[in-house]
């Protein structure tokens, strides 16, 4: 019976999908509850509580360093995991740490006793115990998240609970600030700490109910010497360790001392100090959001370097702080500090997971966190506290002490920044491009849209997402757009191609995809690819576009004609003209006319006019042909205005024509042409017009113009041809294109 009971308590080899779902719900509940004691007990509140209990600045600095100084105790957590498992180890450590936290409530009661040294002793011992067991318990954090998630939902789960906890933390901090402003006395601190401890005990119980497999216990039994040796002998891991130490040192020697500077340097109240410290949280929330949007695209290394560099701005603000407090300036320093701190934590973690292999993550991660925490703790306790003990001996004012402190720290940050440059490069953007991204709202919008794209599987969502990416038209979304080209639905592929067409630049991968679409998308989307290749001047696509001239897809064939001319493929020009002359397909006629217009050769004018009067073309198609012909002698805009007037107000056409082309001569000829009842009368009027406008240096072959006119057979077409011919004949003599045309006639 006992053996059966013990066996039933053993964790399973692997968690089922149902166990993982249950574990995620409980873990999310734990993290939401755990946020309240974090707000009530850690860092800002406990520092202000220590200052209220008259602890000296060096002792407060040492207390602030406990968060990092106690990280070596994480090794003890590995041993507990081997015996108790992840959840029970974490829950046990959390329960013990809240016992230590509760003890600091009793410190003020010894302030009037005969042993006043007990006040700082109780405060520091209680806070030290809290931090020691925090460090022991955190060994289970990442492994437990890995237990209850999979590769498909891990990122979404982490982002979701991180956002929830950030919001709850902000609400809790607002409540604490309000309470301290309304009841600014020691009892308020006692109540805040008590609430944090009670909620912490409940959250520790919830934590112990999270399911896990037997894998973490087996992993924890492995020796750690091999991992320690690998950290120091493998250069990329060694550089990673140094970078982690540099990052944690940066905010350990800046943020707590900025709080002390605003409190002691400017003499602000606890309420004001907490208000400024809340801006650290606001910066952290925004940094978490920004990282979630861009980190997977730009890579973690450039972000880590930029976030670390941001601490220089914070140091400079305090190094040259004005004598009078400027709320906007001080608030900005706290916001930037919070933004950079969260960015460094997330960025270093992201870089760690990208660099370290899965087999090495547990051991390398343990020593990375342990050494970086110890380095940050020593920096705060030795460097920070030591400077605050020495600098007042220089007879400086309170604010001058902190000014000089931050000037020294700014200098010390320079070699730490250099250590970050030594991190091995991964697949990443350049720092300059990342900075440009922050200055480009369009690219940021594109990245936000890309994060929404992830995980969509149905048609309507994909259609909406690709349309959104097309509307934003940013190059950062190119990879996602290319994936949509694999869609089985025409509308999604066509919108993806339109999105590529709107980009400022096409990568080699995008160019290859467009060329492939010419072959794979016949009768569907190939014509859009041909159009884009021409507009983007992708010269390597010329062979593919030449082959498209043999396609039975009229859309593709027509767009290929136009694209080849845009690419200045002279070898294809004769083939394009021949295709135009031979076809009676309206679509090919339009694209062929556009292509010949782009060629810019006036010798093609008779070909265009012949097509206008010989083919059975719809009137709008004929308009395109005539516009192309007029464009070859620089009269394209004039022809556009005349045709527009033709459609809207024929009565004002003559006056507009006289205004635009003053050399038309006697208006009665045009009036006769437009009002003639028969083709014979039109031809007679047209001949009279040509005779009256004969040039002395060039003989006009009116019979050629007449032959075009006599072949027109539908209402409205003949008059438009007259319009075009007049523009051609009466273009400025200085125009070489006009003279060439007249010689052709």
């Amino acid at each position: 019976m006992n053996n059966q009971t013990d066996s039933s308590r053993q964790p399973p080899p692997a968690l089922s999908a149902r166990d993982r779902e249950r574990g995620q719900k409980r873990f999310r509940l734990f993290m939401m509850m755990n946020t309240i004691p974090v707000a009530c007990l850690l860092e800002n509140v406990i520092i202000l509580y220590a200052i209220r209990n008259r602890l000296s600045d060096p002792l407060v600095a040492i207390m602030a360093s406990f968060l990092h100084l106690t990280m070596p105790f994480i090794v003890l957590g590995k041993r507990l995991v081997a015996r108790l498992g992840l959840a029970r180890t974490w829950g046990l450590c959390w329960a013990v740490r809240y016992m230590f936290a509760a003890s600091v409530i009793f410190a003020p009661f010894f302030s009037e006793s005969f042993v006043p040294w007990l006040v700082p002793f109780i405060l520091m011992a209680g806070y030290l115990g809290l931090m020691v067991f925090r460090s022991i318990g955190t060994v289970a954090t990442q492994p437990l998240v890995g237990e209850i998630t999979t590769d498909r939902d891990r990122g979404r789960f982490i982002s979701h609970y991180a956002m929830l906890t950030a919001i709850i933390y902000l609400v809790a901090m607002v409540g604490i600030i309000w309470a301290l402003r309304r009841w600014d006395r020691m009892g308020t601190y006692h109540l805040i700490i008590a609430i944090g401890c009670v909620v912490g005990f409940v959250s520790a119980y919830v934590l112990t109910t999270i399911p896990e497999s037997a894998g973490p216990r087996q992993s924890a039994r492995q020796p750690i010497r091999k991992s320690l040796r690998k950290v120091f002998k493998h250069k990329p891991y060694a550089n990673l360790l140094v970078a982690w130490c540099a990052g944690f040192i940066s905010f350990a020697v800046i943020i707590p001392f900025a709080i002390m500077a605003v409190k002691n340097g400017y003499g602000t109240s606890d309420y004001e100090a907490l208000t400024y410290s809340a801006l650290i949280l606001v910066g952290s929330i925004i940094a978490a959001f920004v990282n979630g949007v861009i980190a997977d695209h730009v890579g973690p290394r450039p972000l880590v370097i930029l976030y670390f560099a941001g601490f220089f701005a914070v140091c400079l603000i305090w190094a040259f702080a004005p004598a009078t407090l400027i709320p906007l300036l001080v608030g900005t320093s706290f916001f930037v500090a919070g933004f950079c701190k969260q960015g460094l934590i997330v960025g270093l973690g992201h870089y760690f997971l990208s660099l370290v292999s899965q087999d090495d993550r547990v051991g390398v991660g343990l020593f990375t966190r342990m050494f970086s925490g110890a380095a940050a703790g020593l920096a705060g306790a030795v460097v920070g506290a030591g400077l605050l003990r020495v600098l007042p001996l220089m007879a400086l004012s309170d604010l001058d002490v902190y000014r000089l402190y931050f000037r020294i720290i700014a200098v010390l940050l320079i070699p730490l920044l250099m250590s970050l440059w030594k991190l091995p490069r991964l697949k990443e953007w350049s720092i300059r491009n990342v900075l440009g991204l922050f200055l480009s709202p369009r690219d940021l919008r594109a990245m936000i849209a890309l994060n929404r794209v992830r995980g969509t599987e149905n048609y309507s969502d994909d259609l909406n997402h690709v349309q959104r990416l097309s509307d934003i038209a940013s190059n950062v979304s190119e990879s996602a757009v290319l994936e949509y080209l694999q869609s089985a639905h025409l509308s999604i592929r066509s919108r993806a191609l339109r999105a590529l067409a709107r980009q400022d630049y096409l990568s080699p991968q995008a160019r290859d995809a467009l060329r492939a679409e010419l072959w794979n998308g016949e009768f569907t989307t190939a014509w859009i690819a041909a159009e884009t290749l021409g507009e983007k001047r992708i010269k390597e696509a010329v062979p593919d576009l030449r082959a498209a001239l043999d396609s039975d897809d009229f859309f593709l064939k027509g767009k290929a004609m136009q694209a080849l001319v845009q690419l200045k493929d002279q070898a294809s020009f004769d083939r394009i003209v021949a295709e135009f002359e031979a076809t009676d397909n309206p679509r090919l006629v339009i694209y062929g006319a556009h292509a010949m217009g782009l060629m810019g050769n006036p010798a093609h004018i008779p070909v265009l006019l012949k097509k206008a009067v010989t083919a059975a073309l719809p009137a709008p198609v004929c308009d395109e042909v005539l516009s192309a012909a007029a464009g070859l002698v620089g009269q394209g805009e004039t022809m556009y205005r005349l045709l527009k007037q033709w459609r809207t107000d024929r009565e004002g056409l003559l006056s507009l024509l006289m205004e635009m082309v003053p050399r038309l001569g006697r208006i009665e000829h045009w009036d006769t042409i437009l009002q003639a009842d028969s083709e014979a009368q039109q031809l007679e009027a047209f001949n009279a017009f040509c005779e009256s406008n004969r040039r002395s240096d060039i003989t006009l072959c009116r019979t050629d113009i007449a032959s075009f006119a006599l072949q027109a057979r539908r209402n409205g077409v003949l008059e438009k041809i007259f319009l075009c011919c007049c523009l051609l004949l009466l273009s400025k003599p200085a125009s070489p294109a006009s003279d060439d045309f007249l010689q052709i006639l």
Side-chain angles (χ1 to χ4, degrees), residues 1-8:
M1 177 69 72
N2 292 335
N3 292 335
Q4 292 179 354
T5 303
D6 294 339
S7 176
S8 65

Side-chain angles (χ1 to χ4, degrees), residues 658-712:
M658 291 297 296
E659 175 188 341
M660 298 173 67
V661 189
R663 296 179 60 256
L664 279 179
R666 300 171 59 186
I667 192 171
E668 57 266 22
H669 293 305
W670 261 97
D671 190 39
T672 304
I673 291 172
L674 296 177
Q675 296 181 8
D677 295 330
S678 64
E679 290 182 1
Q681 292 177 357
Q682 289 178 333
L683 181 58
E684 181 181 355
F686 182 71
N687 287 334
F689 166 78
C690 292
E691 184 67 29
S692 67
N693 288 279
R694 178 188 295 273
R695 297 179 183 174
S696 59
D697 56 338
I698 299 177
T699 301
L700 299 180
C701 298
R702 297 187 308 279
T703 55
D704 290 340
I705 296 293
S707 66
F708 290 133
L710 289 173
Q711 294 178 64

